[in-house]
Amino acid sequence: MLKKLRRRVKTLISKSFKRRHNRPSTPTPQQQQQEEEPNLCFQSSSPEREEMSSKHQRSFTKPFLFPRTQSSVLPDPSLFFSPHLLSSPLPTNSFFQNFVLKSGDQPEYIHPYLIKSSLSSLTISYPSRFPTSAFIYQVFNADLTISVPSQSQDTRTDPPTDRHVVSSFTDLSLTLDLPPFLRFFLVRGSPFVTCSVSSPAPLSISTIHAILSASSNASLTKHTIQLNNGQTWVLYSSSPVSFTTTLSRIVSADAFSGVIRIAIVAGSDPIFETTLDRFSSCYPVSGEVFYNRPFCVEYKWEKKGWGDLLMLAHPLHLRLLAKDEGGEVKVLEGFKYRSIDGDLVGVVGDSWVLKTPPISVTWHSVGGVGEEAFEEIIAALRKDVEGLNSAPIATTSSYFYGKLIARAARLALIAEEVCFPDVIPIVRKFLKESIEPWLEGTFNGNGFLFDPKWGGLVTKQGSMDSGADFGFGVYNDHHYHLGYFLYAIAVLAKIDVAWGRKYRSQAYALMGDFMNLGKRANSNYPRLRNFDEWKLHSWAGGLTEFADGRNQESTSEAVNAYYSAALMGLSYGDTHLVALGSTLAALEMRSAQTWWHVKEGEGIYEADFSRENRVVGVLWANKRDSGLWFAPPEWKECRLGIQLLPLLPITEVLFSNVEFTRELVKWTLPALAREGVGEGWKGFVYSLQGVYDKDEALKMIRGLSGYDDGNSLTNLLWWAHSRGDGEEEEEGCGGGRHCWYKHYYH
């Protein structure tokens, strides 16, 4: 059975490399809202292909099945977004989200700078770092503030209190306007902050530090500012401009129009400033991301000026960067900026190709379960399936409900793997009765609705209470909740093809909420709601203002979302969905292994933090925290568990580094002696123990008296019995020596 499944998946993946036609794309609202399948095709930059795609999209529409709602808890996007953007879906987990929430004056980390916009000015901070053994964060200081003083005011007074405006945004960039004169091109990973001054106006640059010196070159196009905190900044102007200097401000002597570029000289070697000089004349105004083939991501920047483009790459970029493919790129090893994510290194080139090792998305364990274990697993399976009838789902929470139906779906797949199909009809009946009310809008107490203000699904409870469903109504945790629903739907569509066909539109509507790749203005959903295409992992925070930017706690639930979408692609024979889900899952896992899994000696985090922690609790854009939303740092079993659940075949890829897994379990085990530790959390610790010590893990699992609400004894036994011999595998490569489609890689 497993061999047949692998042959089937291999065929689907093979086709995804060969079939390049575009699938129906994002939703098209007309007088009555309609829903198309989200755009999941691997893109081509060919204009002819885009035109063909647009024609194909217009010919395929279906009624949108979730009714509209006017949420009472969502913020008003019209305060900060340009009017022409309001008719399109808007991002709800973006790198600039703080700029469009409340007063819009909280900073965002746009590597390598913290950027804050308020009072018609923009402030740049090259943040210092404050590390302890429990957390790390970057400190915002108003190093340089750029503004145009009011003509009717003295230049020493505060500028007027006009709001900034988001005039455009792309995958890797934001254009932020400070009316009436200033436009900032905030492109992620640029060592320069670039500003266009549209009409002649006096230019003011102030600082909270004392200015020790300010000098200009002979042509008045390069200006060097030295501050008393040890920083040196350079400002390049597209035309000559002279400045007058006070203790904490420089002001242009005459009105200026044109482009200015500002960068900190972050290295002491003279070559650092020479490098900035060399690349100061070419600036990016936007950046887009393309998925032209599985397990490949391509960055392309639109640039202006002349010469080559200099950008910065974080550590994961550097590991994945293909230096021999796409546009020519050159890594400047000595040109580095510090970052909470590790050193940012200079890369020259306006197009990058990133390749991640492939993963095998499978329904069942990669290595399989030995027949000698069938009897024990089947005994647990019988009992767990019987419990589906005796314990109907009582919760109305979209998160906990999703976990419970996904738990039941696991039982069907384990039954297949241990050759015990007798229980599958019971699971199928339970799944149908549990899922259909959510897809038909008949579930009592909750359900999915469509929010046209930002563009996406909310829950009935969440549309009235921002705290309900863990903030789902303000776009928190969408990939978590919907990932569990997709898993259950994928399994049910697999074991009941007719049911899958009947509810295909609703299934794709749920998936499209966080998996839409399209950028069409008439879409129902924004592009990749949760996935950060520069960091290469997801954010979960939604439309909530946080001083440290976006955040994510559970990487494993994010992996589950994309893995489940890929499984749904298998159920429906959708090769594009298989490829996209697999690619995003692979990137999410590589990011988790880079930034959430803490390994001593890697150099990303300080020694004190690395020594005391093996996993990050909550990872923020501008902070690393050992605590969780629901537990203090010393509850290490919760930190391990929240980076592991749900326990799935893909989990063995996420924790493919056996030595790190051993260290993580060793670090966690003492916490299990604390009074009140939940049996469910213990189960996750023992599961990882099974990666390198199957016998001990089985012994401990058999002694448990309870399980996580998304887990079961059946699932724990399946996991432990399907563990291999504990040999080290290459981190990030799905299935290790069992990976059956390495030869399809790229």
Side-chain angles (χ1 to χ4, degrees):
M1 181 183 298
L2 189 57
K3 290 181 178 179
K4 290 181 179 178
L5 174 68
R6 289 176 179 170
R7 283 197 297 269
R8 180 189 174 204
V9 180
K10 188 189 300 185
T11 301
L12 289 175
I13 296 294
S14 176
K15 289 180 179 178
S16 74
F17 282 72
K18 299 174 182 177
R19 293 170 55 190
R20 307 294 299 199
H21 68 277
N22 286 333
R23 294 190 63 79
S25 186
T26 50
T28 307
Q30 299 174 359
Q31 291 182 350
Q32 177 182 358
Q33 184 159 351
Q34 295 178 322
E35 173 75 14
E36 291 182 356
E37 291 183 12
N39 185 345
L40 300 169
C41 69
F42 277 68
Q43 302 151 318
S44 167
S45 56
S46 162
E48 294 81 4
R49 190 176 299 279
E50 291 177 2
E51 181 181 359
M52 179 177 66
S53 173
S54 179
K55 291 178 180 178
H56 191 186
Q57 291 163 0
R58 290 194 296 267
S59 67
F60 189 98
T61 60
K62 296 177 180 177
F64 189 62
L65 299 172
F66 298 113
R68 289 185 174 221
T69 184
Q70 294 299 323
S71 171
S72 62
V73 299
L74 286 169
D76 181 5
S78 67
L79 295 177
F80 296 104
F81 284 100
S82 179
H84 76 276
L85 297 175
L86 297 176
S87 59
S88 303
L90 298 170
T92 60
N93 269 283
S94 74
F95 66 96
F96 62 87
Q97 208 68 56
N98 275 348
F99 292 166
V100 297
L101 298 174
K102 293 189 176 181
S103 299
D105 59 355
Q106 288 295 318
E108 286 284 17
Y109 189 37
I110 303 177
H111 299 65
Y113 303 111
L114 279 169
I115 304 290
K116 180 177 180 179
S117 174
S118 65
L119 302 175
S120 288
S121 64
L122 185 134
T123 300
I124 307 170
S125 172
Y126 183 55
S128 57
R129 189 153 155 166
F130 187 87
T132 72
S133 62
F135 57 83
I136 304 169
Y137 70 88
Q138 296 184 135
V139 181
F140 177 90
N141 286 308
D143 293 326
L144 294 182
T145 298
I146 302 98
S147 64
V148 171
S150 171
Q151 298 288 348
S152 62
Q153 294 179 329
D154 187 276
T155 57
R156 290 169 294 179
T157 64
D158 288 333
T161 57
D162 296 328
R163 288 191 179 98
H164 58 246
V165 176
V166 173
S167 58
S168 67
F169 57 88
T170 64
D171 307 328
L172 304 174
S173 67
L174 168 73
T175 302
L176 195 70
D177 293 347
L178 274 60
F181 299 114
L182 303 183
R183 167 167 286 183
F184 289 89
F185 301 107
L186 303 178
V187 183
R188 307 181 75 184
S190 174
F192 301 88
V193 173
T194 305
C195 176
S196 172
V197 185
S198 58
S199 298
L203 192 64
S204 169
I205 300 175
S206 62
T207 177
I208 63 167
H209 313 292
I211 298 176
L212 298 182
S213 67
S215 59
S216 302
N217 63 0
S219 63
L220 299 180
T221 56
K222 177 187 175 183
H223 316 271
T224 304
I225 306 168
Q226 292 185 326
L227 307 178
N228 71 340
N229 67 340
Q231 292 180 346
T232 298
W233 295 78
V234 286
L235 184 154
Y236 303 89
S237 55
S238 60
S239 59
V241 59
S242 60
F243 288 97
T244 59
T245 305
T246 66
L247 179 63
S248 60
R249 184 187 302 263
I250 66 171
V251 180
S252 61
D254 301 304
F256 171 81
S257 65
V259 173
I260 62 169
R261 307 197 74 201
I262 299 173
I264 191 171
V265 181
S268 58
D269 192 314
I271 195 66
F272 203 103
E273 186 171 346
T274 302
T275 301
L276 291 174
D277 292 346
R278 176 185 171 191
F279 295 102
S280 63
S281 298
C282 178
Y283 62 95
V285 295
S286 66
E288 295 191 272
V289 179
F290 297 88
Y291 302 83
N292 294 317
R293 48 196 164 150
F295 308 109
C296 283
V297 178
E298 185 173 3
Y299 291 174
K300 289 186 177 181
W301 287 276
E302 179 188 354
K303 61 182 184 179
K304 292 187 177 181
W306 57 271
D308 294 325
L309 180 65
L310 172 65
M311 300 297 289
L312 300 173
H314 59 57
L316 185 53
H317 285 148
L318 294 172
R319 292 173 192 169
L320 305 182
L321 186 64
K323 301 180 181 65
D324 57 347
E325 191 169 332
E328 291 186 5
V329 296
K330 180 180 179 181
V331 177
L332 307 181
E333 298 287 355
F335 186 83
K336 295 181 180 180
Y337 282 72
R338 67 171 181 262
S339 162
I340 197 167
D341 297 303
D343 285 344
L344 307 175
V345 178
V347 175
V348 179
D350 52 20
S351 176
W352 301 358
V353 174
L354 308 174
K355 294 181 178 181
T356 185
I359 62 170
S360 301
V361 170
T362 61
W363 296 103
H364 306 120
S365 60
V366 175
V369 176
E371 290 187 11
E372 69 280 359
F374 283 12
E375 182 178 353
E376 182 179 18
I377 296 174
I378 289 172
L381 183 60
R382 286 180 183 273
K383 186 175 180 180
D384 284 331
V385 171
E386 288 173 4
L388 297 180
N389 289 328
S390 61
I393 298 177
T395 181
T396 60
S397 161
S398 56
Y399 175 74
F400 291 114
Y401 199 102
K403 287 185 72 175
L404 289 169
I405 57 175
R407 172 189 178 275
R410 289 288 310 131
L411 300 177
L413 294 180
I414 294 171
E416 288 184 343
E417 190 164 352
V418 298
C419 303
F420 190 67
D422 299 18
V423 297
I424 293 178
I426 301 174
V427 178
R428 180 171 62 240
K429 179 176 181 293
F430 176 85
L431 290 176
K432 290 173 67 175
E433 292 175 351
S434 302
I435 297 172
E436 286 177 7
W438 286 81
L439 303 186
E440 295 177 346
T442 59
F443 181 69
N444 186 26
N446 210 350
F448 295 120
L449 303 172
F450 179 75
D451 156 49
K453 184 183 291 186
W454 289 83
L457 298 181
V458 296
T459 56
K460 289 179 182 178
Q461 294 178 353
S463 67
M464 298 177 288
D465 178 0
S466 62
D469 294 324
F470 294 102
F472 192 92
V474 290
Y475 291 100
N476 289 357
D477 299 351
H478 271 215
H479 55 329
Y480 295 169
H481 298 224
L482 296 175
Y484 284 117
F485 273 85
L486 289 193
Y487 187 87
I489 289 170
V491 173
L492 185 52
K494 174 184 184 294
I495 62 179
D496 190 333
V497 176
W499 185 94
R501 187 164 52 246
K502 178 180 179 181
Y503 289 98
R504 189 176 193 270
S505 296
Q506 290 96 324
Y508 272 77
L510 295 182
M511 178 270 298
D513 178 81
F514 68 94
M515 287 281 287
N516 176 39
L517 260 189
K519 300 180 181 180
R520 298 175 60 202
N522 58 355
S523 170
N524 277 335
Y525 305 123
R527 176 180 166 93
L528 292 180
R529 183 182 306 283
N530 297 93
F531 193 78
D532 184 323
E533 296 178 280
W534 197 80
K535 277 299 298 292
L536 302 175
H537 64 73
S538 299
W539 298 115
L543 297 178
T544 305
E545 180 191 65
F546 294 109
D548 289 306
R550 300 304 93 198
N551 69 84
Q552 179 164 264
E553 188 174 53
S554 177
T555 55
S556 51
E557 288 181 298
V559 171
N560 173 65
Y562 305 119
Y563 167 70
S564 297
L567 291 182
M568 202 171 86
L570 293 181
S571 291
Y572 286 113
D574 185 341
T575 58
H576 298 294
L577 182 52
V578 174
L580 178 60
S582 301
T583 299
L584 296 182
L587 292 170
E588 190 82 42
M589 286 188 284
R590 289 303 297 258
S591 291
Q593 293 160 351
T594 301
W595 289 297
W596 272 265
H597 298 182
V598 182
K599 309 176 187 73
E600 286 192 86
E602 281 199 333
I604 290 182
Y605 301 133
E606 281 76 4
D608 285 351
F609 187 85
S610 298
R611 182 174 57 252
E612 296 298 324
N613 299 279
R614 282 297 163 268
V615 283
V616 172
V618 179
L619 186 143
W620 302 77
N622 195 46
K623 184 181 180 182
R624 303 293 183 266
D625 203 331
S626 59
L628 299 169
W629 286 108
F630 63 93
E634 57 268 23
W635 292 17
K636 296 179 179 180
E637 77 285 357
C638 294
R639 268 201 272 173
L640 178 150
I642 206 64
Q643 302 301 339
L644 174 63
L645 62 85
L647 203 58
L648 301 163
I650 199 71
T651 305
E652 62 184 82
V653 187
L654 181 57
F655 288 93
S656 56
N657 185 326
V658 177
E659 184 54 39
F660 169 75
T661 302
R662 191 192 320 269
E663 291 181 10
L664 174 59
V665 174
K666 181 180 178 182
W667 173 82
T668 308
L669 280 173
L672 301 188
R674 192 184 69 254
E675 185 178 353
V677 174
E679 293 289 282
W681 297 112
K682 291 180 181 179
F684 291 122
V685 179
Y686 301 148
S687 296
L688 276 193
Q689 190 175 23
V691 170
Y692 60 88
D693 190 346
K694 180 193 297 188
D695 292 339
E696 181 64 19
L698 278 168
K699 173 185 172 183
M700 303 307 292
I701 287 169
R702 289 165 183 150
L704 290 171
S705 59
Y707 316 97
D708 179 73
D709 51 4
N711 207 355
S712 64
L713 177 58
T714 300
N715 200 42
L716 289 168
L717 292 173
W718 159 83
W719 169 266
H721 282 297
S722 61
R723 296 309 85 217
D725 53 16
E727 290 183 7
E728 186 76 37
E729 302 287 0
E730 179 185 353
E731 184 171 73
C733 183
R737 62 188 182 280
H738 301 294
C739 183
W740 47 258
Y741 82 96
K742 281 185 178 180
H743 54 290
Y744 287 116
Y745 178 26
H746 308 311

